[in-house]
Amino acid sequence: MNSKLLKARTGNTPPNPELEIGYLVGKPASIGNRLDFRVSQDFEFPTVYFQRSSLKNDHSMLSELMYEITRQEVILELKKQWINYLYFTEKHEMLVKRVEDARKVKEHFQMKYEAGEANKLQISQANLHYVSIRNESQNTALFRENTLMALEKMCGEKLKIAGSDLPPSLPLNTDSLLVAYDQ
């Protein structure tokens, strides 16, 4: 940004003055030596400098606005990545619980099958459900790690995140919903 501001401020001054020196040796000596000085400065019509100054101000404002736009885009992308990270963290924690529940259901059906109270279809369904939940949990963990790597890349350093910053969810009380609905 500073380079664009400096670039916008150049070229608004008149060019450097020119200095010419001439030394003429006189022959015969009675004429004498002659020393001539000439200083010249080129300048344009005064409104040109006014217009250049106005243009400089416009370019300065434009570069400041472009910097702010870029800054806001980076902040927005960081916010999106952070929200994705929190989402995948919460989803992964939920899926870990579901994987454990699906494992228990699978083991329960296996015990029932060995006791003769369940058939192979029910065991297969329980196994399929367990595998699908486990795969979803692994994919969510992978997405979470990718999001964390994207955040670290944008921040330029390794992040140490302990837990999620989301508040714990409150238990849902259906009676309070009915009271709120009646009001």
Side-chain angles (χ1 to χ4, degrees):
M1 181 187 138
N2 288 339
S3 63
K4 289 184 179 181
L5 285 174
L6 291 174
K7 182 181 176 186
R9 292 181 181 145
T10 60
N12 199 26
T13 57
N16 290 335
E18 296 177 6
L19 174 65
E20 295 178 15
I21 298 175
Y23 183 75
L24 302 173
V25 180
K27 296 245 184 196
S30 62
I31 298 177
N33 297 336
R34 186 170 129 190
L35 188 61
D36 292 335
F37 285 102
R38 181 174 166 222
V39 178
S40 63
Q41 174 73 53
D42 293 337
F43 61 92
E44 295 171 340
F45 202 73
T47 57
V48 171
Y49 296 107
F50 174 75
Q51 293 299 327
R52 282 186 189 163
S53 176
S54 174
L55 187 62
K56 171 196 67 111
N57 292 337
D58 292 344
H59 281 294
S60 296
M61 259 196 324
L62 180 65
S63 64
E64 288 174 7
L65 288 173
M66 292 303 291
Y67 171 77
E68 189 61 30
I69 288 171
T70 305
R71 183 179 162 276
Q72 291 295 325
E73 286 174 349
V74 168
I75 289 172
L76 178 64
E77 186 61 30
L78 276 169
K79 284 181 180 180
K80 285 180 185 177
Q81 292 296 334
W82 180 248
I83 289 170
N84 284 340
Y85 177 78
L86 291 177
Y87 168 74
F88 288 128
T89 300
E90 291 294 318
K91 185 175 180 181
H92 180 66
E93 290 173 5
M94 178 193 69
L95 286 173
V96 165
K97 293 175 187 171
R98 287 184 65 195
V99 166
E100 183 60 29
D101 292 342
R103 185 189 59 77
K104 289 178 184 176
V105 167
K106 181 180 93 159
E107 290 173 357
H108 177 71
F109 273 107
Q110 186 66 35
M111 287 178 8
K112 284 181 84 173
Y113 177 73
E114 291 170 1
E117 298 175 3
N119 58 24
K120 282 205 175 246
L121 178 63
Q122 291 171 328
I123 291 175
S124 296
Q125 287 175 342
N127 284 335
L128 182 63
H129 181 68
Y130 170 72
V131 169
S132 68
I133 296 294
R134 189 185 66 199
N135 287 341
E136 188 177 355
S137 174
Q138 290 171 347
N139 286 340
T140 303
L142 182 66
F143 288 143
R144 180 177 159 236
E145 289 303 313
N146 288 343
T147 305
L148 181 61
M149 287 183 352
L151 279 169
E152 289 174 348
K153 182 179 177 183
M154 292 177 83
C155 292
E157 61 185 42
K158 186 127 177 95
L159 299 176
K160 296 176 185 172
I161 302 171
S164 69
D165 288 350
L166 292 177
S169 58
L170 298 173
L172 183 62
N173 186 355
T174 57
D175 293 335
S176 64
L177 289 176
L178 291 174
V179 170
Y181 182 72
D182 289 339
Q183 292 176 356

Short mmCIF file of all heavy atoms in Angstrom, two decimals, residues 126-149:
data_model
loop_
_atom_site.label_atom_id
_atom_site.label_comp_id
_atom_site.label_asym_id
_atom_site.label_seq_id
_atom_site.Cartn_x
_atom_site.Cartn_y
_atom_site.Cartn_z
N ALA A 126 -26.60 -53.72 11.15
CA ALA A 126 -25.88 -53.07 12.25
C ALA A 126 -24.44 -52.79 11.87
O ALA A 126 -23.90 -51.72 12.16
CB ALA A 126 -25.95 -53.93 13.51
N ASN A 127 -23.79 -53.75 11.19
CA ASN A 127 -22.41 -53.56 10.73
C ASN A 127 -22.32 -52.42 9.71
O ASN A 127 -21.42 -51.59 9.76
CB ASN A 127 -21.84 -54.84 10.13
CG ASN A 127 -21.45 -55.84 11.17
OD1 ASN A 127 -21.16 -55.48 12.31
ND2 ASN A 127 -21.44 -57.12 10.80
N LEU A 128 -23.27 -52.40 8.77
CA LEU A 128 -23.29 -51.36 7.75
C LEU A 128 -23.48 -49.98 8.39
O LEU A 128 -22.80 -49.01 8.02
CB LEU A 128 -24.40 -51.63 6.74
CG LEU A 128 -24.52 -50.66 5.58
CD1 LEU A 128 -23.27 -50.70 4.73
CD2 LEU A 128 -25.75 -51.00 4.74
N HIS A 129 -24.38 -49.90 9.34
CA HIS A 129 -24.61 -48.63 10.03
C HIS A 129 -23.35 -48.19 10.78
O HIS A 129 -22.95 -47.03 10.72
CB HIS A 129 -25.79 -48.77 11.00
CG HIS A 129 -26.12 -47.51 11.74
ND1 HIS A 129 -26.63 -46.40 11.11
CD2 HIS A 129 -25.98 -47.19 13.05
CE1 HIS A 129 -26.81 -45.44 12.00
NE2 HIS A 129 -26.42 -45.89 13.19
N TYR A 130 -22.70 -49.12 11.45
CA TYR A 130 -21.46 -48.80 12.19
C TYR A 130 -20.37 -48.31 11.25
O TYR A 130 -19.72 -47.29 11.51
CB TYR A 130 -20.98 -50.04 12.95
CG TYR A 130 -19.61 -49.89 13.56
CD1 TYR A 130 -19.42 -49.07 14.66
CD2 TYR A 130 -18.51 -50.54 13.02
CE1 TYR A 130 -18.16 -48.92 15.23
CE2 TYR A 130 -17.26 -50.40 13.56
CZ TYR A 130 -17.08 -49.58 14.67
OH TYR A 130 -15.84 -49.42 15.20
N VAL A 131 -20.19 -48.98 10.13
CA VAL A 131 -19.14 -48.60 9.17
C VAL A 131 -19.44 -47.23 8.56
O VAL A 131 -18.54 -46.39 8.40
CB VAL A 131 -18.98 -49.69 8.08
CG1 VAL A 131 -18.11 -49.21 6.95
CG2 VAL A 131 -18.40 -50.95 8.69
N SER A 132 -20.70 -46.99 8.21
CA SER A 132 -21.03 -45.69 7.59
C SER A 132 -20.83 -44.54 8.58
O SER A 132 -20.30 -43.48 8.20
CB SER A 132 -22.46 -45.70 7.05
OG SER A 132 -23.40 -45.76 8.10
N ILE A 133 -21.21 -44.73 9.84
CA ILE A 133 -21.02 -43.67 10.84
C ILE A 133 -19.52 -43.46 11.09
O ILE A 133 -19.05 -42.33 11.22
CB ILE A 133 -21.75 -44.03 12.16
CG1 ILE A 133 -23.25 -44.08 11.94
CG2 ILE A 133 -21.41 -43.05 13.27
CD1 ILE A 133 -23.87 -42.75 11.60
N ARG A 134 -18.76 -44.57 11.16
CA ARG A 134 -17.31 -44.45 11.39
C ARG A 134 -16.64 -43.71 10.23
O ARG A 134 -15.79 -42.84 10.44
CB ARG A 134 -16.69 -45.83 11.56
CG ARG A 134 -15.24 -45.77 12.02
CD ARG A 134 -14.60 -47.12 12.08
NE ARG A 134 -14.54 -47.62 10.70
CZ ARG A 134 -14.39 -48.88 10.35
NH1 ARG A 134 -14.29 -49.80 11.27
NH2 ARG A 134 -14.33 -49.23 9.10
N ASN A 135 -17.03 -44.03 8.98
CA ASN A 135 -16.46 -43.34 7.82
C ASN A 135 -16.81 -41.86 7.82
O ASN A 135 -15.98 -41.01 7.50
CB ASN A 135 -16.92 -44.00 6.53
CG ASN A 135 -16.26 -45.32 6.29
OD1 ASN A 135 -15.22 -45.63 6.87
ND2 ASN A 135 -16.85 -46.14 5.44
N GLU A 136 -18.04 -41.56 8.17
CA GLU A 136 -18.45 -40.15 8.25
C GLU A 136 -17.64 -39.41 9.31
O GLU A 136 -17.23 -38.27 9.12
CB GLU A 136 -19.94 -40.04 8.53
CG GLU A 136 -20.47 -38.63 8.44
CD GLU A 136 -21.97 -38.55 8.65
OE1 GLU A 136 -22.65 -39.59 8.77
OE2 GLU A 136 -22.48 -37.42 8.70
N SER A 137 -17.38 -40.07 10.42
CA SER A 137 -16.58 -39.47 11.48
C SER A 137 -15.15 -39.22 11.01
O SER A 137 -14.57 -38.16 11.27
CB SER A 137 -16.58 -40.38 12.71
OG SER A 137 -15.70 -39.88 13.69
N GLN A 138 -14.59 -40.18 10.29
CA GLN A 138 -13.23 -40.01 9.77
C GLN A 138 -13.17 -38.89 8.74
O GLN A 138 -12.22 -38.10 8.73
CB GLN A 138 -12.72 -41.32 9.18
CG GLN A 138 -12.46 -42.39 10.21
CD GLN A 138 -12.18 -43.75 9.60
OE1 GLN A 138 -12.39 -43.97 8.41
NE2 GLN A 138 -11.71 -44.67 10.43
N ASN A 139 -14.17 -38.82 7.87
CA ASN A 139 -14.21 -37.73 6.87
C ASN A 139 -14.33 -36.37 7.55
O ASN A 139 -13.69 -35.40 7.14
CB ASN A 139 -15.37 -37.93 5.90
CG ASN A 139 -15.10 -39.04 4.91
OD1 ASN A 139 -13.96 -39.43 4.69
ND2 ASN A 139 -16.16 -39.58 4.33
N THR A 140 -15.15 -36.30 8.57
CA THR A 140 -15.31 -35.03 9.30
C THR A 140 -14.00 -34.63 9.97
O THR A 140 -13.63 -33.46 9.96
CB THR A 140 -16.44 -35.15 10.33
OG1 THR A 140 -17.64 -35.53 9.65
CG2 THR A 140 -16.68 -33.84 11.04
N ALA A 141 -13.30 -35.60 10.54
CA ALA A 141 -12.00 -35.30 11.16
C ALA A 141 -11.02 -34.80 10.10
O ALA A 141 -10.24 -33.86 10.36
CB ALA A 141 -11.45 -36.53 11.86
N LEU A 142 -11.07 -35.38 8.91
CA LEU A 142 -10.19 -34.94 7.83
C LEU A 142 -10.53 -33.52 7.39
O LEU A 142 -9.63 -32.68 7.20
CB LEU A 142 -10.31 -35.92 6.65
CG LEU A 142 -9.43 -35.63 5.44
CD1 LEU A 142 -7.97 -35.80 5.81
CD2 LEU A 142 -9.80 -36.55 4.30
N PHE A 143 -11.82 -33.22 7.23
CA PHE A 143 -12.23 -31.87 6.86
C PHE A 143 -11.80 -30.87 7.93
O PHE A 143 -11.37 -29.75 7.62
CB PHE A 143 -13.75 -31.79 6.66
CG PHE A 143 -14.23 -32.47 5.41
CD1 PHE A 143 -15.44 -33.15 5.42
CD2 PHE A 143 -13.51 -32.44 4.24
CE1 PHE A 143 -15.91 -33.79 4.28
CE2 PHE A 143 -13.97 -33.07 3.09
CZ PHE A 143 -15.16 -33.76 3.12
N ARG A 144 -11.92 -31.28 9.17
CA ARG A 144 -11.53 -30.40 10.29
C ARG A 144 -10.03 -30.10 10.23
O ARG A 144 -9.61 -28.95 10.38
CB ARG A 144 -11.90 -31.08 11.60
CG ARG A 144 -11.55 -30.30 12.81
CD ARG A 144 -12.05 -31.04 14.05
NE ARG A 144 -11.33 -30.59 15.18
CZ ARG A 144 -10.65 -31.37 16.00
NH1 ARG A 144 -10.63 -32.66 15.81
NH2 ARG A 144 -10.01 -30.86 17.01
N GLU A 145 -9.22 -31.11 9.98
CA GLU A 145 -7.77 -30.91 9.89
C GLU A 145 -7.41 -30.04 8.68
O GLU A 145 -6.52 -29.19 8.78
CB GLU A 145 -7.04 -32.25 9.81
CG GLU A 145 -7.08 -33.02 11.10
CD GLU A 145 -6.49 -32.24 12.27
OE1 GLU A 145 -5.41 -31.65 12.13
OE2 GLU A 145 -7.15 -32.21 13.33
N ASN A 146 -8.09 -30.24 7.55
CA ASN A 146 -7.84 -29.40 6.37
C ASN A 146 -8.20 -27.95 6.65
O ASN A 146 -7.49 -27.03 6.22
CB ASN A 146 -8.63 -29.92 5.17
CG ASN A 146 -8.07 -31.20 4.62
OD1 ASN A 146 -6.93 -31.56 4.90
ND2 ASN A 146 -8.86 -31.90 3.84
N THR A 147 -9.29 -27.74 7.35
CA THR A 147 -9.69 -26.37 7.70
C THR A 147 -8.67 -25.74 8.64
O THR A 147 -8.32 -24.57 8.50
CB THR A 147 -11.09 -26.38 8.34
OG1 THR A 147 -12.00 -27.03 7.46
CG2 THR A 147 -11.58 -24.98 8.59
N LEU A 148 -8.18 -26.53 9.59
CA LEU A 148 -7.16 -26.02 10.51
C LEU A 148 -5.89 -25.68 9.76
O LEU A 148 -5.26 -24.63 10.03
CB LEU A 148 -6.87 -27.05 11.61
CG LEU A 148 -5.84 -26.64 12.66
CD1 LEU A 148 -6.30 -25.40 13.41
CD2 LEU A 148 -5.58 -27.79 13.62
N MET A 149 -5.51 -26.50 8.79
CA MET A 149 -4.31 -26.19 7.99
C MET A 149 -4.51 -24.93 7.17
O MET A 149 -3.59 -24.12 7.02
CB MET A 149 -3.96 -27.38 7.09
CG MET A 149 -3.37 -28.53 7.87
SD MET A 149 -2.82 -29.99 6.96
CE MET A 149 -3.30 -29.79 5.30
#
